[in-house]
Amino acid sequence: VAGGNGSSGSGGEGGGLYLAGGGVAITACTISNNTAGGGQGGQGAAAANVTTNAAAVLNGNVGGGGANGALARGGGLWCAASGTIAINGSTISGNLAAGGSGGNGGRGGDVVNSAGFSSIFANGGNGGNGGGAGAGSGGGLYISSGTLSLNECCVSGNSATGGAGATGGQGGDGSAAGASSVASVGAGGRGGNGTGGAAALGGGVVLVNGALSIVNSTLSGNTASGGDGGDGGMGGDGLGGTATSPGSGGNGGQGQAGGGGGIYVTAGTIDISNSTLAFHSAAAGNGGTGGAPGPGGTAASNGVGGSAQTSIGGGIANLGATITIDSSIISDNTADSGLDIQGAVTADACVIEVIAGASITAGSNGNLTGDPGLGALAFNGGPTQNHRIASNSIARDAGTNPLSLTTD
């Protein structure tokens, strides 16, 4: 019989706090080192072997497919509905949203020629394909809809990681008659395909829809790391007769992208004032390796290796929201595209170190580009950690303080 498919993992949401609706105010608190983890997909079962003692044309059973890993959202906090969240003078740090890995494919079944019949054409079963991986989103905060305000807060060192793609199952072994039979064939089964890794979105914050306000706050050192692709399975052996053929290797899965190391947003509005977004990263996972062909007989091909996607928006990845930024610093972020910002924003009196990848509508005061000379994250005054600027920084006295704050 063919191998059974694995069972899918279950999702994980709101590692620290889960808000189904309504409102919550958080003041002078720390939300740290929580995890929302998606369950791993179950492995596909190996297929049963077939034994024959009669002349026949046989194909081995196919290995079971791996099951899908589950998504994870909101390592620190997840807002599921139209809630209102006000966070003041608080730290959100070291939280993790980790998508589940896919389950590996099961091994294809062998075919065994127990009687040595010369007319048996016995091909091993193909390996099962790996299961899909689950995305990780909102390492610190995940807002499905509603309103979130951050005032004098520090959101730092949070991570979103996409689940790894699964490995394809090995192909089953073929079996043919003895070498005296030119007609006999024993082909190995093809290795199963590895699956792609899953996306990682918003190491610090994800806003699916709604409104986000960030005032006098620091978002620093958050990461969104896409999952690696799974490797292709090895081909099965071609055994027995003179025309045996090994199975080809399965293809490797694609390495998935990370998006929005600091903030990832798809719709709604974001207003950022007198704040710093720095030292975030968005990275893509590695592609899986193509499986090797099985041994025995004539040559077979390696599977094709998977590629890596392009990570976007080291600081901010905007896929459709309205974003306004005033008197703020966005710098020292990394990604394949849009190091500091990917997408459209309106900015006034800001320092944006790298503008490539961004579509910026400038306000009346204009903006500066270049390195603002940020110091390490530390307590430099105020309720939470922030980045001090150098005495000769281009950011010094460059803002307009639109909210008339007494400290910055």
Side-chain angles (χ1 to χ4, degrees):
V1 295
N5 296 328
S7 298
S8 297
S10 298
E13 294 158 332
L17 297 169
Y18 179 104
L19 181 65
V24 61
I26 300 170
T27 302
C29 292
T30 298
I31 303 171
S32 67
N33 299 321
N34 302 288
T35 299
Q40 182 172 341
Q43 180 169 330
N49 296 332
V50 175
T51 300
T52 181
N53 57 7
V57 176
L58 293 174
N59 292 308
N61 293 308
V62 178
N68 296 335
L71 56 77
R73 299 184 289 191
L77 181 150
W78 186 52
C79 179
S82 299
T84 300
I85 305 170
I87 306 179
N88 299 284
S90 297
T91 296
I92 299 96
S93 66
N95 300 289
L96 170 66
S101 300
N104 295 333
R107 189 184 189 280
D110 299 339
V111 178
V112 180
N113 176 10
S114 63
F117 282 93
S118 62
S119 58
I120 286 180
F121 297 77
N123 304 316
N126 293 336
N129 295 328
S137 303
L141 304 161
Y142 185 101
I143 310 302
S144 181
S145 64
T147 301
L148 169 65
S149 62
L150 299 172
N151 182 50
E152 291 191 301
C153 291
C154 180
V155 181
S156 66
N158 303 286
S159 300
T161 59
T167 299
Q170 181 177 341
D173 297 339
S175 179
S180 61
S181 174
V182 176
S184 62
V185 175
R190 186 181 188 278
N193 293 327
T195 50
L201 308 173
V205 182
V206 165
L207 178 67
V208 178
N209 198 359
L212 170 61
S213 171
I214 301 174
V215 177
N216 207 10
S217 294
T218 299
L219 277 68
S220 176
N222 301 291
T223 61
S225 302
D228 293 337
D231 295 337
M234 181 178 176
D237 288 359
L239 303 173
T242 57
T244 58
S245 176
S248 296
N251 297 330
Q254 186 177 61
Q256 188 56 264
I263 299 173
Y264 182 92
V265 56
T266 59
T269 60
I270 297 180
D271 293 300
I272 303 172
S273 297
N274 294 83
S275 295
T276 299
L277 281 76
F279 301 105
H280 307 292
S281 69
N286 298 313
T289 302
T298 58
S301 61
N302 287 287
V304 178
S307 60
Q309 287 198 330
T310 299
S311 63
I312 62 170
I316 299 173
N318 179 18
L319 275 67
T322 299
I323 300 180
T324 303
I325 310 171
D326 288 306
S327 296
S328 296
I329 297 171
I330 304 176
S331 70
D332 299 284
N333 303 292
T334 60
D336 294 327
S337 175
L339 273 70
D340 287 325
I341 300 172
Q342 181 78 29
V345 301
T346 297
D348 188 43
C350 293
V351 176
I352 302 172
E353 184 173 11
V354 179
I355 62 173
S359 175
I360 300 174
T361 300
S364 58
N365 297 289
N367 300 287
L368 299 175
T369 58
D371 186 355
L374 297 179
L377 192 65
F379 285 102
N380 298 303
T384 59
Q385 291 183 313
N386 50 55
H387 292 288
R388 183 190 296 273
I389 60 175
S391 59
N392 60 348
S393 171
I394 60 173
R396 188 167 292 277
D397 297 325
T400 60
N401 194 15
L403 300 180
S404 301
L405 302 175
T406 57
T407 59
D408 186 6

